[in-house]
Amino acid sequence: MRFSFRDLVALMMLGFFTLAAWGAEAAPPVRIGVLAWQGLEEAEIRWSSLMNQLQDRLPGRTLALRHFDVAGMAAALSAGELDFVVTNPGHYVFLEAESGVSRIATLVADASTDPAHVVGSAVVVLDERRDIAGLADLKGRTLAAVSTDAFGGYQVMWAELRRLGLDPEQGQPRPMLTGFPMSKVVEAVLNGDADAGVLRACLLERLEQEGALRPGQLRVLSPRSGMSRCRVSSRLYPGWAFAAARPTPPALSRDVLVALLSLSPDAAGQSWSVPADYHPVHELLQELQIGPYAFLRETAWPSLWERYWPWVCGLVLTLLAWGAYTLHVEHLVQRRTRELTQAMEARQRLEVQVREGQQQMDHLSRLSILGELSGTLAHELNQPLAAIGNYARSLLRRQDSGSLAPAALRQAAEEIASESERAAGILGGIRAFARKRNRVREAHDPAALVREASRLLAGMLPGVPGVMLRQGAGATGLQVWVDPLQAQQVLLNLFKNAWDAQQAVGCDLPIEVDLSREGARCIVAVRDHGPGLSPELQARLFEAFFTTKPDGLGLGLSICKTIIEAHGGEIAASEAQPGPGLVIRFTLPLVDGAPPPPERVHDSLP
């Protein structure tokens, strides 16, 4: 069968579009669901700015925003249709128990707000209703709320009223559910359909600011002073949670967390912080016996009596069997409560460890690297600038003395041009190290990479000891597949750690670097003469947020591990022999005519 040139072109275009479609399928969109507590329109306006900022910080990924009510979000998670959810703290605790979501960030009102004290409720009445002065006066009244599932719009105030001896479940006050959006609660109070209404904290101030309400038209009952920048009638609980679904890959969760923490506050001053402690939310839901603690309500004595009284009255002979069944149920309740308490204590210990590590994290670590590079700039530019000044002064002196020959003028001009090019090259190298760019894989001499990293270290940290490079048998002339800037980042981090370790014991010996070959890999070993580490600390050395330095971030070695593994290598730590000291070894693939290995990690830098 013969093909024309046009047929061949058509086949090539078909193959190109097939590959493009396959590549698009290989990178599915990041699906984010948000709770639309003020309606779909308001939710679209509220969260579109966040999605746009996240999209800018997650290049190569497509974000898909979806809005749900409480039941719809739970159903979407069960069907595997969401990667992340943004919801209120009460709904998050429910989803955590039912769907296994895990929070990665907490919404705060402003930079000075404690993430653990953000969400609250305000009970409002018409200002002229002087017969209702406080929460205790709501007995026998009608209380409007959006839904019994609304955390800030009902459940928070339900708990507060129960602490005052009032219970909406018993009709004191009588609940009137308006449904979403929450503006219907305001309408019910204004129209006189309800005596009072429950609003989420700060919604009243926002409606007054937007002109939807006249200032002072609605009054907050029993306002708590010093609890919030807005008027509230309740205690405050952690802010909204940004949580990852159970099947979401950890690498994607890490990328989204880093992007969230780097976002600037929105127009309302809100921003994202590290996950807060949601234990107070668990206590509130347990007190109300709802959400994941609804089983406590089902196994309570009044519920058991209501369920089984026909059997007790009709079958007296089964009384002993019923008593045995009740004892069995009580045993199950105690066991489940004990297991739940143990799980909560374990989670609290884990959260304490995470907070201690995250308090040291600086989301502007890239700027920290640039700050250290400023030392390199000052050190390296000093020599060419001094040389340029010397040549220029030499020309002036010769001109003043009348001995300026054309040959000397030409030589001085050439030297000045050479030194200026050298200074420009130094600036270009630092800009290349700092700028954001696509990763590459090139063949490089590992010894040259070590020397360049040593030169950068000497510029960043004056007084640092030298780096002693040793190349074993067969290790000369090697070429490795590597991104040179990422390799320098790894070496600089290891050199800096080695110097810090030696400073701790007052040692000024050179940092030792050994290059050797093992099969198709090049082994790079960096040894310091510091105090060393115990096997327990070595086992956690490459964990994120773990550090042995008082002012460390706990990210350097974790990033080094990610970079080396992305290059197809491995990294590990061991005690120096003979000691004292620590040796960190990592491997890189040799060229040897083989193509560069595929990347196994999609992002290696914060």
Side-chain angles (χ1 to χ4, degrees), residues 305-319:
W305 172 252
E306 182 179 355
R307 184 184 303 175
Y308 294 109
W309 74 265
W311 294 88
V312 175
C313 295
L315 301 172
V316 177
L317 296 178
T318 61
L319 181 60

Side-chain angles (χ1 to χ4, degrees), residues 445-474:
D445 181 0
L449 294 174
V450 171
R451 296 188 187 96
E452 178 63 17
S454 173
R455 186 185 66 81
L456 286 175
L457 179 70
M460 288 189 297
L461 303 170
V464 70
V467 175
M468 180 184 297
L469 174 62
R470 290 194 294 260
Q471 295 178 259

Side-chain angles (χ1 to χ4, degrees), residues 121-127 129-139 141-143 157 160-161 164 166 173 195-198 204 218-225 231-234:
S121 300
V123 177
V124 298
V125 297
L126 289 171
D127 187 52
R129 291 293 300 269
R130 298 302 171 181
D131 55 325
I132 306 178
L135 294 177
D137 297 329
L138 292 178
K139 186 175 183 179
R141 312 284 184 171
T142 301
L143 181 65
M157 283 313 306
E160 293 291 339
L161 291 173
L164 293 175
L166 304 177
D195 297 300
V198 181
L204 176 62
L218 295 180
R219 172 168 45 89
V220 176
L221 295 182
S222 303
R224 293 180 176 239
S225 60
R231 292 165 286 175
V232 294
S233 306
S234 69

Side-chain angles (χ1 to χ4, degrees), residues 317-462:
L317 296 178
T318 61
L319 181 60
L320 293 176
W322 176 80
Y325 174 79
T326 303
L327 290 176
H328 175 65
V329 171
E330 190 68 21
H331 171 71
L332 291 179
V333 171
Q334 292 177 359
R335 187 180 68 181
R336 292 181 64 181
T337 303
R338 182 171 57 254
E339 293 172 351
L340 182 60
T341 302
Q342 293 173 352
M344 291 171 61
E345 290 174 353
R347 184 179 64 248
Q348 287 177 345
R349 290 194 297 269
L350 180 60
E351 288 176 348
V352 169
Q353 294 175 0
V354 171
R355 284 198 303 271
E356 290 175 353
Q358 288 173 337
Q359 285 173 355
Q360 302 297 327
M361 186 181 69
D362 182 2
H363 66 279
L364 299 176
S365 59
R366 295 285 291 177
L367 294 180
S368 175
I369 294 176
L370 289 176
E372 292 183 344
L373 285 175
S374 63
T376 302
L377 182 64
H379 178 79
E380 293 296 330
L381 287 180
N382 184 53
Q383 290 184 353
L385 291 178
I388 290 173
N390 289 336
Y391 284 118
R393 285 190 294 272
S394 175
L395 289 176
L396 292 174
R397 286 195 300 270
R398 293 188 180 187
Q399 184 179 12
D400 292 340
S401 63
S403 59
L404 182 60
L409 177 61
R410 179 179 182 83
Q411 178 184 3
E414 290 176 349
E415 293 294 342
I416 290 175
S418 174
E419 294 297 329
S420 64
E421 291 173 357
R422 177 184 172 190
I426 293 170
L427 289 173
I430 292 178
R431 290 180 60 191
F433 181 81
R435 70 171 178 259
K436 191 174 183 179
R437 55 165 188 73
N438 296 328
R439 292 185 292 274
V440 297
R441 291 290 185 273
E442 300 173 347
H444 281 272
D445 181 0
L449 294 174
V450 171
R451 296 188 187 96
E452 178 63 17
S454 173
R455 186 185 66 81
L456 286 175
L457 179 70
M460 288 189 297
L461 303 170

